[in-house]
């Protein structure tokens, strides 16, 4: 909780705080190879400090240091500022967000003459399609459904259209455990240490409200908590 001019208390939403800085995002980007969101300068400085590209939350080694603007989080931060016009976040020199990056242009289609243009799909614009296609190619041609959900939110496109264009990778053998009712999940989350709960809630928020199964074991190890407890709270 921070204060604005005049001593009024102000709560910054936890899911809008960078996991590295624990401060409000000003230039949120997601890491291409993990899907996790960080403040741009913070994650780039983290990689310089550790000497290699590892995801700060999971410590998983990454294939690249490529990041993209998280438009969904950026819009949420702007909405928070708009609702609190007197609030200047700690460490900011103004209330303006930093300039975002731009989606890469779509690759040329060799099967069509270069002068034949195709109208954008209103549910999946060409720039968004090209970006997701590049990430899918880096993941063997398919994307897990939690990444499709993340891209739908961050790029502002239709999730159903994304699933049609990029069918999710086949699920691993064995059915996933049923999700607990919301009240039981809240109770399970309340039993976790505060730091683990805050971090996992931020990661889950960036992935449609649930922790991807592949993140649970690394996060449980990082925070020294039981993987089953994390799964009950955020899985």
């Amino acid at each position: 909780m921070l204060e604005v001019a005049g001593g009024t208390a102000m709560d910054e939403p936890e899911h809008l705080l960078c996991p590295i800085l624990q401060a409000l995002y000003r230039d949120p980007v997601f890491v291409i190879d993990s899907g996790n969101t960080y403040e741009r300068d913070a994650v780039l400085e983290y990689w310089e400090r550790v000497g290699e590209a590892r995801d700060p939350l999971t410590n998983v080694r990454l294939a690249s240091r490529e990041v993209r603007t998280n438009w969904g989080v950026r819009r949420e931060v702007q909405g928070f500022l708009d609702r609190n016009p007197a609030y200047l976040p700690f460490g900011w020199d103004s209330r303006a967000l930093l300039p975002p990056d731009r989606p890469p242009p779509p690759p040329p289609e060799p099967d069509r003459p270069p002068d034949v243009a195709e109208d954008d799909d209103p549910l999946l614009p060409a720039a968004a399609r090209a970006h997701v296609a590049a990430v899918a190619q880096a993941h063997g041609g398919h994307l897990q459904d939690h990444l499709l959900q993340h891209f739908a939110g961050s790029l502002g496109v239709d999730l159903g259209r994304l699933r049609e264009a990029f069918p999710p990778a086949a699920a691993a053998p064995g059915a996933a455990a049923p999700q607990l009712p919301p009240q039981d999940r809240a109770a399970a989350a309340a039993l976790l240490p505060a730091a683990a709960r805050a971090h996992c809630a931020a990661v889950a928020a960036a992935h449609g409200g649930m922790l991807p199964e592949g993140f649970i074991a690394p996060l449980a190890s990082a925070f020294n908590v039981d993987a089953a407890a994390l799964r009950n709270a955020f899985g």
Side-chain angles (χ1 to χ4, degrees):
M1 179 178 293
L2 300 177
E3 292 186 352
V4 296
T8 304
M10 175 67 63
D11 283 319
E12 295 178 334
E14 285 191 358
H15 71 285
L16 298 183
L17 303 182
C18 169
I20 298 175
L21 302 177
Q22 285 300 301
L24 192 71
Y25 288 115
R26 195 176 188 186
D27 185 12
V29 296
F30 63 89
V31 178
I32 290 294
D33 291 322
S34 73
N36 289 334
T37 297
Y38 306 98
E39 181 71 10
R40 186 192 303 270
D41 286 347
V43 70
L44 296 181
E45 289 172 6
Y46 173 82
W47 287 335
E48 288 299 320
R49 188 168 65 252
V50 301
E52 61 180 337
R54 286 185 176 272
D55 188 89
L57 280 175
T58 65
N59 201 36
V60 172
R61 182 178 286 113
L62 306 172
S64 75
R65 302 189 182 194
E66 194 170 0
V67 297
R68 290 284 185 272
T69 292
N70 188 323
W71 291 100
V73 171
R74 187 179 177 90
R75 284 191 290 269
E76 288 194 64
V77 172
Q78 187 62 62
F80 170 75
L81 293 173
D82 291 344
R83 291 189 299 273
N84 299 280
Y87 180 56
L88 178 66
F90 179 77
W92 292 30
D93 56 358
S94 75
R95 286 170 41 84
L97 298 178
L98 296 178
D101 55 29
R102 295 181 177 272
E109 297 186 20
D111 295 334
R112 301 186 177 206
D115 58 342
V116 175
E118 180 182 6
D119 292 338
D120 266 357
D121 182 338
L123 298 180
L124 185 58
R129 177 190 288 271
H131 173 64
V132 178
V135 179
Q137 184 177 10
H139 287 77
H142 291 280
L143 292 174
Q144 296 292 341
D145 194 65
H146 73 268
L147 283 177
L148 294 178
Q149 294 177 34
H150 174 72
F151 287 133
S154 62
L155 298 175
V157 298
D158 182 75
L159 177 58
R161 188 70 188 87
L162 265 184
R163 286 172 172 154
E164 290 176 9
F166 304 95
Q179 188 178 12
L180 293 177
Q183 63 271 23
D184 292 344
R185 284 161 55 84
L191 297 176
L192 295 171
R197 183 169 63 250
H199 274 278
C200 293
V203 178
H207 290 82
M210 295 175 58
L211 281 179
E213 180 62 29
F215 288 10
I216 289 178
L219 288 173
S221 175
F223 287 102
N224 195 27
V225 296
D226 183 63
L230 271 188
R231 189 175 291 107
N232 287 339
F234 300 103

